[in-house]
């Protein structure tokens, strides 16, 4: 059971969570007695009022419930046997008995016995052709969490493998945290770790979530929406990642039902109304396809493929149209014996109806990352209506429906426990998640990495690289190697030079351009789409920031030593600092000082206390300059002093001539803002950190500014704008152009030496034909 759903009930308290009877399972009590553990406290007998509250008549329902569970038990054994004739009947029988007794006094919100839920989970796992160990764990998955039984008991009765799966599912559900966001992040992080150890853990979670979604109607409205939102944001895309198409579709449709019930009901009504018309059309196109296969001597199955409600709704939203305007609702699937027949059938259907060349995809030659293989083509059928056709082998069809669950059935000698260790996406995300300590950041990356859609691009040597839709040239560089990504300056796509942020398309050949002097910037995080690239950039930035903080903190502490005239012997004594600030070594102390975790005031007071006879200096006096390693000189004087570590705020891009203020940051020196900068004006409230600054004259120093130019589009406008920049000897670092009808908005990031150069250039730009406004952006790219 998904604990968040709270779908279980204790019989004596309909609103409470389920608890269990400690009754021993017949034939299993010997194992329990060997452990000599104290039995759980006995549960109260079911009260008549409690049964009434659940909507169960105690006079006639209790025996019926017991008989219905006995029938359900036999039905479940038959159900599993039909799908897996060689299943371990003794193990499953034992798990059913244990589950029935453990949950015997528990009921779901529907009033049904709680054992119904693990029974349905077991059926879903059987549908996925899971092994007997996984089905047994599915039957027992709520026992430890919701009853008085322990993992150790499960291990003693069912063995280590079943106990591991039950414990892993239990630990995922049992995570508690102060905030819902943190709890959700830790839940999915734990789930990923468990999946990497044994992929069957996620199969049990999928079955658990799917049955909970099927019975969500008994929950309160707010809980329904919260669970449905989590399902469509995480569980459905995750099912897609593992190729579980049937589970993904049902999770999406059920989530859609609860998140937008009016739209769902309206769409169901329209689909039903059009059903006969749609089925007649499909019958009309099945005949010619079957006849073409018969004449070619190709054996195969041909049938109509229903479109799922949520996918139809997505098309309506993306195209901004009504259901009646969606014409590509007709779909065929053709199953043949081998790959050669797949391509043979492709030629046949293209000879029957005209294909849309732009809609052909060969996922047999280039499988998706979730192992999906098929040929996709779209034909113009009778009446000019598009027909989507999928062509695949029987094995491909099973893998398309059941994904990784079917994989070990076709992979000789494959162990389901090891498949998680072979899943490339899972292994990569497990590596990246170690760098994500913030729960919001983790969920952002996790959701982003689950977004479906892939492109296939090539290296100069012809190697195929898979990337998510929306991936850029910079993503491609990081996909090849992290070091290549960190030093990437651009790329060549099909021989043409393109910028880092250029989105790639399937079939393009990409060559990365690099420079050893190139270093990442924070802006890169808005350019890349893949988790691998974002993780590498953040890791590099953290490493650089740590090194910088250590250097800065060391200089700040040394300065305090000099100010307080602390003798060298006392400076070398680390123990007082370790005791005061709870740090293990000098480097950690310097990093905390440089980063601002230990404030300048705190360290100054402590150092001066080491030498109490020395007169204390003012706050401003303690802001004596620290040398910056990156540049020998700066263009700003900090309170009349040179060589202070400074940085120019990217929110307002100050240049010489602007009125400016200085703000002492945590670990990054003094940040320089324009005096009218909105962000800088907010910082003024923190008076202790504001420091007087002024420009000093220095030749050769350049400053970034963002200029926005709007007007009426015309031929040669861009050339005229760049001519103005060229004549003013201004370097353009980056440009973006947005055109809507006949109006254009150009945004340029340029480098200027001072305010005079900037303002004179803006005057010349305003004189150009068609230009309506030239503004200096307060912030932007």
């Amino acid at each position: 059971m998904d604990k968040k759903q709270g779908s279980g009930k204790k019989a004596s308290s309909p609103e409470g969570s389920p608890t269990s009877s400690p009754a021993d399972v017949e034939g299993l009590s010997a194992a329990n007695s060997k452990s000599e553990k104290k039995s759980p406290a006995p549960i109260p007998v079911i009260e008549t009022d409690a049964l009434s509250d659940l909507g169960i008549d105690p006079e006639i329902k209790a025996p019926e419930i017991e008989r219905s569970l006995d029938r359900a038990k036999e039905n479940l054994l038959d159900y599993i046997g039909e799908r897996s004739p060689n299943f371990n009947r003794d193990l499953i029988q034992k798990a059913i008995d244990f589950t029935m007794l453990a949950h015997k006094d528990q009921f779901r919100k529907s009033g049904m016995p709680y054992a119904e839920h693990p029974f349905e989970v077991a059926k879903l796992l059987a549908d996925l052709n899971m092994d007997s160990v996984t089905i047994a764990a599915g039957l027992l998955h709520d026992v430890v969490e919701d009853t008085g039984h322990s993992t150790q008991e499960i291990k003693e009765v069912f063995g280590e493998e079943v106990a591991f799966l039950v414990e892993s599912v239990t630990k995922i559900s049992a995570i508690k945290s102060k905030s819902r966001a943190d709890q959700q992040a830790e839940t999915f992080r734990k789930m990923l770790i468990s999946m990497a150890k044994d992929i069957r853990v996620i199969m049990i979670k999928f079955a658990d979530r799917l049955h909970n979604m099927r019975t969500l109607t008994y929950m309160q409205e707010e809980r329904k929406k919260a669970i449905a939102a989590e399902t469509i944001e995480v569980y459905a895309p995750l099912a897609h990642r593992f190729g579980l198409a049937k589970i993904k579709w049902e999770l999406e449709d059920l989530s859609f039902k609860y998140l937008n019930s009016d739209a769902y009901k309206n769409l169901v009504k329209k689909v039903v109304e059009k059903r006969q018309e749609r089925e007649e059309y499909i019958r009309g196109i099945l005949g010619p396809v079957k006849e073409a296969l018969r004449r070619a001597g190709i054996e195969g199955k041909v049938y109509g493929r229903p479109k799922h409600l949520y996918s139809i709704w997505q098309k309506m939203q993306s195209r901004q149209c009504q259901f009646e305007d969606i014409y590509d609702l007709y779909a065929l699937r053709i199953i043949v014996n081998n790959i050669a027949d797949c391509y043979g059938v492709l030629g046949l259907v293209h000879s029957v109806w005209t294909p849309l060349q732009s809609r052909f995809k060969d996922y047999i030659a280039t499988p998706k990352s979730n192992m999906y293989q098929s040929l996709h083509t779209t034909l113009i059928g009778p009446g000019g209506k598009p027909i989507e056709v999928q062509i695949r082998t029987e094995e491909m069809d099973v893998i398309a429906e059941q994904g990784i669950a079917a994989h070990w059935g076709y992979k000789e000698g494959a162990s389901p426990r090891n498949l998680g260790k072979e899943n490339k996406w899972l292994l990569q995300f497990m590596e990246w998640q170690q760098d994500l300590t913030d729960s919001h950041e983790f969920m952002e990356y996790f959701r982003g990495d689950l977004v479906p859609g892939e492109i296939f691009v090539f290296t100069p040597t012809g190697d195929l690289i898979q990337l998510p839709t929306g991936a850029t040239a910079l993503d491609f560089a990081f996909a090849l190697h992290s070091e290549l990504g960190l030093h990437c300056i651009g790329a060549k796509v099909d021989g043409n030079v393109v910028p880092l942020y250029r989105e790639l398309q399937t079939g393009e050949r990409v060559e990365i351009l690099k420079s050893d002097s190139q270093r990442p910037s924070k802006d890169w995080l808005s350019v890349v789409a893949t988790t691998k690239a974002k993780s590498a950039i953040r890791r590099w930035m953290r490493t650089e920031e740590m090194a910088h903080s250590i250097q800065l903190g060391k200089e700040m502490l040394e300065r305090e030593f000099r100010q307080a005239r602390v003798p060298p012997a006392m400076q070398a004594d680390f123990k007082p600092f370790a005791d005061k600030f709870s740090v293990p070594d000098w480097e950690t102390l310097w990093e905390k000082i440089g980063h601002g975790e230990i404030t300048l005031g705190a360290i100054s007071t402590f150092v001066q206390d080491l030498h109490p006879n020395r007169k204390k200096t003012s706050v401003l006096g303690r802001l004596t300059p620290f040398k910056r390693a990156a540049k020998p000189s700066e263009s700003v004087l900090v309170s009349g002093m040179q060589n202070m570590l400074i940085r120019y705020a990217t929110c307002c891009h100050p240049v010489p001539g602007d009125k400016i203020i200085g703000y002492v940051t945590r670990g990054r020196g003094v940040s320089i803002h324009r005096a009218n900068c909105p962000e800088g004006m907010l910082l003024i409230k923190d008076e202790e950190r504001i420091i007087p600054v002024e420009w000093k004259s220095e030749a050769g120093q350049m400053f970034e500014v963002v200029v926005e130019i709007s007007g009426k589009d015309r031929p040669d406008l861009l050339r005229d704008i760049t001519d103005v920049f060229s004549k003013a000897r201004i370097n353009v670092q980056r440009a973006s152009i947005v055109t809507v009808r006949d109006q254009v908005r150009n945004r340029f990031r340029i480098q200027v030496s001072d305010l005079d150069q900037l303002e004179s250039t803006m005057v010349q730009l305003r004189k150009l034909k068609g230009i309506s406004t030239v503004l200096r952006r307060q912030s932007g790219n």
Side-chain angles (χ1 to χ4, degrees), residues 568-597:
M570 293 181 68
Q571 292 183 29
D573 185 6
F574 177 67
K575 189 175 185 308
F577 293 93
D579 294 341
K580 173 68 175 176
F581 298 107
S582 301
V583 288
D585 50 48
W586 284 112
E587 270 202 356
T588 306
L589 177 67
W590 295 332
E591 183 190 350
K592 287 180 178 292
I593 296 171
H595 192 260
E597 293 179 51

Side-chain angles (χ1 to χ4, degrees), residues 119-234:
F119 279 17
E120 292 301 317
V121 168
K123 285 183 179 180
L124 289 167
L125 292 170
D127 288 337
L128 291 168
N129 296 318
M130 302 303 295
D131 59 346
S132 297
V133 168
T134 311
I135 295 173
L139 284 163
L140 299 163
H141 78 276
D142 277 336
V143 167
V144 173
E145 181 184 2
D146 293 336
T147 78
H149 296 282
S150 68
T151 305
Q152 183 61 30
E153 288 180 76
I154 302 294
K155 183 177 180 181
E156 290 170 356
V157 176
F158 297 98
E160 186 174 343
E161 203 171 0
V162 173
F164 170 80
L165 294 175
V166 172
E167 182 181 32
S168 297
V169 174
T170 302
K171 284 183 177 178
I172 292 169
S173 302
I175 291 172
K176 303 295 178 188
S177 186
K178 291 181 180 178
S179 73
R180 178 171 174 80
D182 288 343
Q183 180 170 321
Q184 187 184 51
E186 289 311 306
T187 296
F188 290 119
R189 192 191 295 269
K190 188 72 179 178
M191 187 165 68
L192 285 170
I193 294 170
S194 298
M195 285 158 51
K197 292 178 181 177
D198 194 323
I199 202 68
R200 292 175 294 182
V201 172
I202 192 60
M203 308 308 293
I204 297 171
K205 286 298 294 182
F206 280 137
D208 178 41
R209 177 52 64 107
L210 181 53
H211 184 248
N212 280 329
M213 286 298 296
R214 287 176 177 177
T215 56
L216 200 60
T217 185
Y218 299 102
M219 300 292 294
Q220 292 181 352
E221 200 62 33
E222 187 177 340
R223 292 293 295 136
K224 286 180 188 178
K225 290 185 179 295
I227 294 167
E230 182 182 70
T231 299
I232 206 166
E233 288 176 9
V234 176

Side-chain angles (χ1 to χ4, degrees), residues 410-444:
Y410 288 98
K411 187 172 180 180
E412 188 176 349
S415 165
R417 187 163 191 169
N418 292 329
L419 281 178
K421 299 173 184 176
E422 298 172 8
N423 187 278
K424 186 177 179 182
W425 170 81
L426 182 55
L427 289 177
Q428 286 181 338
F429 198 90
M430 282 301 299
E431 177 187 344
W432 302 328
Q433 65 90 25
Q434 295 175 14
D435 295 320
L436 305 175
T437 55
D438 180 78
S439 60
H440 297 283
E441 185 178 77
F442 173 83
M443 287 308 298
E444 176 193 344

Side-chain angles (χ1 to χ4, degrees), residues 333-528:
R333 183 172 293 159
I334 305 174
I335 310 297
V336 293
N337 294 328
N338 52 60
I339 292 177
D341 284 350
C342 289
Y343 290 98
V345 169
L346 179 68
L348 289 176
V349 296
H350 282 183
S351 67
V352 176
W353 292 293
T354 304
L356 286 173
Q357 297 297 333
S358 61
R359 298 287 296 274
F360 171 70
K361 291 184 175 67
D362 186 348
Y363 292 119
I364 293 179
T366 54
K368 291 185 177 183
S369 59
N370 62 6
M371 304 176 292
Y372 178 87
Q373 287 184 289
S374 185
L375 295 177
H376 288 194
T377 187
T378 300
L379 312 171
I380 302 300
K385 296 178 180 179
I387 311 167
E388 294 182 357
V389 181
Q390 296 175 346
I391 308 168
R392 58 179 71 147
T393 66
E394 190 77 44
E395 179 182 335
M396 291 175 190
D397 190 51
V398 174
I399 291 176
E401 298 288 320
Q402 299 182 2
I404 199 167
H407 189 54
W408 57 70
Y410 288 98
K411 187 172 180 180
E412 188 176 349
S415 165
R417 187 163 191 169
N418 292 329
L419 281 178
K421 299 173 184 176
E422 298 172 8
N423 187 278
K424 186 177 179 182
W425 170 81
L426 182 55
L427 289 177
Q428 286 181 338
F429 198 90
M430 282 301 299
E431 177 187 344
W432 302 328
Q433 65 90 25
Q434 295 175 14
D435 295 320
L436 305 175
T437 55
D438 180 78
S439 60
H440 297 283
E441 185 178 77
F442 173 83
M443 287 308 298
E444 176 193 344
Y445 278 29
F446 186 40
R447 286 193 180 99
D449 219 48
L450 292 177
V451 174
E454 292 176 309
I455 59 170
F456 303 88
V457 292
F458 298 90
T459 67
T461 57
D463 293 330
L464 182 70
I465 303 296
Q466 293 182 349
L467 293 168
T469 303
T472 63
L474 189 55
D475 284 301
F476 179 86
F478 278 104
L480 296 181
H481 197 284
S482 293
E483 282 300 311
L484 183 61
L486 294 172
H487 299 293
C488 177
I489 57 173
K492 286 185 178 180
V493 174
D494 294 334
N496 300 313
V497 177
V498 299
L500 296 175
Y501 51 86
R502 159 60 151 81
E503 287 192 11
L504 303 178
Q505 305 296 324
T506 291
E508 292 180 330
R509 187 177 297 269
V510 186
E511 178 185 353
I512 295 299
L513 308 176
K514 70 165 190 171
S515 169
D516 291 338
S517 62
Q518 174 72 306
R519 292 292 182 272
S521 72
K522 196 172 183 179
D523 292 340
W524 283 19
L525 290 171
S526 63
V527 171
V528 294

